[in-house]
Amino acid sequence: MTEIERSWLTNPSRRTALARMAALMAASPIAAAAAQTDPRPLSEHRRALSLAEMQTSFDFEPVFFGNVPLSVYDYTAHGDGSEFTLRRNRQAFDWVEIMPRRAAVPASRIDLSSELLGVKMKFPILVAPTAAMRPLHPDEEIGMFKAATAASNTLMILSVNTSRPVTEVAPASPGGTLWGQFYPIEALASAQRVLDTFQNAGCHGIVVTVDQQASYYERTAQDRNFGGVVRTRGAGSGAASAEPVGSARYRINGGRLWYTWQYIDAVRKMIKGPLLIKGILDPEDAKLAIEHGADAIIVSNHGGRSMDYGPSTLEVLPEIVAAVNGRVPVLFDSGVRRGADIFKALALGANGVMIGRTTRWGLAAFGTAGAQRLIEILQQELVQAAAAAGCTRLSEIDATTIKTRFA
Ligand code: FNR
């Protein structure tokens, strides 16, 4: 043996050291077990449920969660600030009890049809406007509109921030009813253009959203998932900027903090059909909205996305219904997840109930078919609640059918 060979025996090179280490690991019983048996215990097994297995709206959310990038999920899920109002919207439904004061009736005898501003509805349920559906599912807004129409001609309101232009969505579901939603644009000529696009596409009703003026979703894609870049509009500049300037550095959205009732007067003249004002939480504002030409008002806090520490919509609904006093229909949204929730809002005086996030869960989980199933589940849950409370008609779902214990 030469001298160098002897040195390899006592002082191995990196190569031989690695080779010996590999041989040791390959021979180890730990590695052999990992290669030959399922390393996960059975309890960790996860299976995505199929469309046929969906029983309640809550079944759709985890499927949606699993289908999309986290930033897409976050954008739908979260609310403004610390999300107190987001939570309170849900909690408020726990503070209303359904009282079985009348004898229950068979579900087959229930007829909850009504008419809203000239539109016949089989159920008092509408699809709320929610922005940008393309990231949720390739069926996007066209799929949502087809789903709404297929689910007993449910009226859908298309967000102005739609992924697909209204000119393509409106004709995609013949026989369906599509209304348009609009955020105030300060330049009246631009506002007119946007409103005309909706109206020329056949959207008869126009929803003007007056909340959402300064919201900030701490927990959405806008910070966490985009690497900490706060994408707030520059104060008054109207332009999105990655490098906020002025008050926008402190997350104050200058794009929307200028709304006035005079502005509503101006857009009222541009709207040929019904005007609905969305985002009312105060009885005096409800009266003003009617004075300024609203044909319906929508009690909404934007699903807790508009102003944190505001009230839940269910808590303010009765006083707004009293202030409106039957002059115009009152619609309601924010926090609705079950048919029983819809029943409670109707009992507190709403004429119709709009569904926001939940419709997105349905679309994102299973596309058009999922959104349709989701709306149908809510319709049937509402029928079930009405049957249990002994209400055969919408007019019978009134304050006598519930007890409220708002905290
Ligand atoms: C909304 N909402 C909304 N409203 C509106 O007038 N225009 C819009 O573009 C949007 N966009 C939007 C996006 C997302 C992701 C959500 C969750 C909501 C508010 C919506 O119309 C409705 O008021 C709430 O969604 C109702 O609360 P729930 O049902 O989501 O709890």
Side-chain angles (χ1 to χ4, degrees), residues 72-78 86 89-90 93 127-132 136 157-162 181-183 207-212 217 256 278-279 298-305 313 332-337 353-361:
V72 173
Y73 174 80
D74 280 352
Y75 174 61
T76 290
H78 291 300
L86 179 76
N89 280 339
R90 283 298 301 142
F93 289 103
V127 175
T130 66
L136 299 179
I157 300 164
L158 185 71
S159 164
V160 70
N161 295 325
T162 174
Q181 177 268 331
F182 168 81
Y183 283 118
V207 170
V208 177
T209 304
V210 296
D211 59 16
Q212 188 70 347
Y217 313 146
R256 286 179 180 158
K278 174 170 181 280
I298 305 177
V299 177
S300 170
N301 59 27
H302 222 100
R305 299 164 74 84
T313 45
F332 170 91
D333 77 21
S334 299
V336 177
R337 305 285 181 267
V353 173
M354 313 206 315
I355 318 292
R357 283 186 186 79
T358 320
T359 58
R360 297 172 71 86
W361 298 351

